Amino acid sequence: MPESHTDIDRKSLFLRACRAEPVERVPVWMMRQAGRYLPEYRAVRAKHSFLDVCKTPELAVEVSLQPYRLLGMDAVIVFSDILIPAEAMGLTVEFGDTGPVLPRQVRNGSDLAALRDFDPQRDTGFVGEAINQLCRALGSRVPVIGFAGAPWTLACYMIAGKSGSGTDRAKCMMYADPALLRALLDKIARNTARYLSAQIAAGAAAVQLFDTWAGELSRGDYREFALPAMQRVLDELQPGTTPVIYYSKASSHLLELLTETGADVLSVDWRLDLAQLKLALAARRGRAVAVQGNLDPTVLLGPAGTIRESVREAISKTGGRGHILNLGHGILPDTPVENARVFIESGQSAELPARAVSAL
Ligand code: CP3
């Protein structure tokens, strides 16, 4: 861990950023920060399957800590996958070389009825245990982030059984049997709320919902299907206590609807201009909503100067207030570790624009 950062209360910094309160600098972490770009991760994976790493708290803790030890980011996300609850609900999940495969999908009412409401303590206790161990290893000054898939994105995997054509299949169900899709989303939402509550009870300082496929929906379809399920998760999580971060990809057209989810932080990709996002959020009365993002992960494949410039630009667009610096999607497996370091360090050393500092 870089020496200069050991004395910082990262949890306080992170939580203040989530609540859009004054900060000395922006907090920084990366989606998929524990993963294949790290030789240390590949060494663990050479000996253990992906699911074994997810389900063995000691291994999950080890790989969650690897990026923090090396790069000293401001938050540690627990190592797991959005498909763990799909398995807990009774589906088989396999991780091959081309991504996850669910050999038995949800296509009709009896498939839906066969999905069970799971008990996070009994069925996915390894996630809570990993969070608990991470909190003990990191102490009270580093935030641990828990996560789950957003209902729509998880439904896409449950309906299609694989990555590629997932949203086409899910949309087929939307048009052919909207009541079935609604019931599936509702069941996922109920289980997701309990799953995330258990992660919070285990010590997660914030939780993130990943909606990788949100952008595939039109505004009307998002409003009718994805939004009520998200609202159900958020309502059950008691807003205002633990910050909820909502990641949605390619979702510029959904902006006002994203704020209606009730999430505390909107995590967006590079297609959305952060200055415009901030303006749109400020124009909405009521609760402050913070932003997270949004560098294109391919920037981290390029020269260090471009990474620094992109970091500087992102922070200047938000003013550094209510901003958690991150990528717009997961870090790519072929990213040089040195470039990830440049990203983290330049974010942590960036001076905030004068207007943000004067608000301190
Ligand atoms: O951020 C972190 O470091 C925590 C770990 C994490 C993983 N998956 C580990 C993982 C998180 C937050 C996820 C979320 C996830 N999983 C999403 C949402 C975010 C996104 O990337 O869109 C989705 C859609 C999944 C489903 C999934 N899992 C896919 C499509 C794949 C295959 C593609 C890929 O990137 O490998 C996975 C496998 C997976 N999940 C890996 C990791 C580190 C690679 C598995 C390996 O080690 O071989």
Side-chain angles (χ1 to χ4, degrees), residues 234-347:
L234 271 285
D235 285 351
E236 294 192 18
L237 283 179
Q238 296 175 327
T241 45
T242 302
V244 178
I245 306 169
Y246 178 37
Y247 169 74
S248 58
K249 195 175 141 209
S251 55
S252 313
H253 60 299
L254 303 173
L255 191 52
E256 325 88 75
L257 298 171
L258 302 177
T259 66
E260 287 181 27
T261 58
D264 302 276
V265 183
L266 292 182
S267 185
V268 299
D269 74 11
W270 56 96
R271 295 170 180 89
L272 234 158
D273 181 83
L274 288 181
Q276 277 174 13
L277 175 61
K278 272 277 173 185
L279 272 178
L281 292 175
R284 290 180 61 87
R285 275 191 298 259
R287 220 165 40 88
V289 176
V291 302
Q292 178 173 273
N294 73 339
L295 264 64
D296 187 330
T298 54
V299 170
L300 269 55
L301 304 180
T306 314
I307 300 170
R308 287 195 197 94
E309 179 52 28
S310 304
V311 164
R312 201 197 53 73
E313 191 187 335
I315 295 174
S316 76
K317 280 180 187 268
T318 61
R321 186 74 180 264
H323 182 191
I324 297 162
L325 184 67
N326 204 316
L327 304 173
H329 199 189
I331 184 169
L332 296 166
D334 46 353
T335 305
V337 177
E338 261 324 292
N339 289 3
R341 189 188 307 279
V342 170
F343 172 70
I344 301 293
E345 286 186 358
S346 53

Side-chain angles (χ1 to χ4, degrees), residues 29-37 41-42 45 48-51 53-54 63-64 67 76-83 95-100 145 147-150 153 157 162-163 208-213 247 249 329-331 333:
W29 70 284
M30 297 182 296
M31 290 187 273
R32 296 279 187 105
Q33 65 192 17
R36 288 161 295 181
Y37 73 107
Y41 173 82
R42 295 196 298 270
R45 283 280 286 105
H48 306 275
S49 75
F50 176 72
L51 276 176
V53 181
C54 291
V63 297
S64 305
V76 171
I77 186 164
V78 64
F79 188 83
S80 187
D81 196 83
I82 64 163
L83 291 167
F95 283 89
D97 289 339
T98 54
I145 303 175
F147 73 90
T153 289
Y157 282 99
K162 58 180 166 35
S163 265
Q208 176 155 333
L209 283 143
F210 284 92
D211 214 351
T212 310
W213 304 123
Y247 169 74
K249 195 175 141 209
H329 199 189
I331 184 169

Side-chain angles (χ1 to χ4, degrees), residues 163-237:
S163 265
S165 59
T167 57
D168 292 354
R169 281 283 190 175
K171 283 184 188 178
C172 283
M173 183 185 286
M174 181 186 300
Y175 304 129
D177 193 347
L180 178 63
L181 178 63
R182 229 176 254 120
L184 173 61
L185 288 167
D186 199 57
K187 195 162 197 173
I188 296 172
R190 231 173 30 234
N191 281 279
T192 302
R194 278 208 309 273
Y195 181 60
L196 289 175
S197 297
Q199 296 185 41
I200 293 168
V207 290
Q208 176 155 333
L209 283 143
F210 284 92
D211 214 351
T212 310
W213 304 123
E216 298 293 322
L217 291 171
S218 70
R219 288 162 57 87
D221 289 340
Y222 182 90
R223 184 188 288 111
E224 201 178 330
F225 293 95
L227 180 60
M230 272 298 294
Q231 286 172 328
R232 170 147 202 188
V233 176
L234 271 285
D235 285 351
E236 294 192 18
L237 283 179

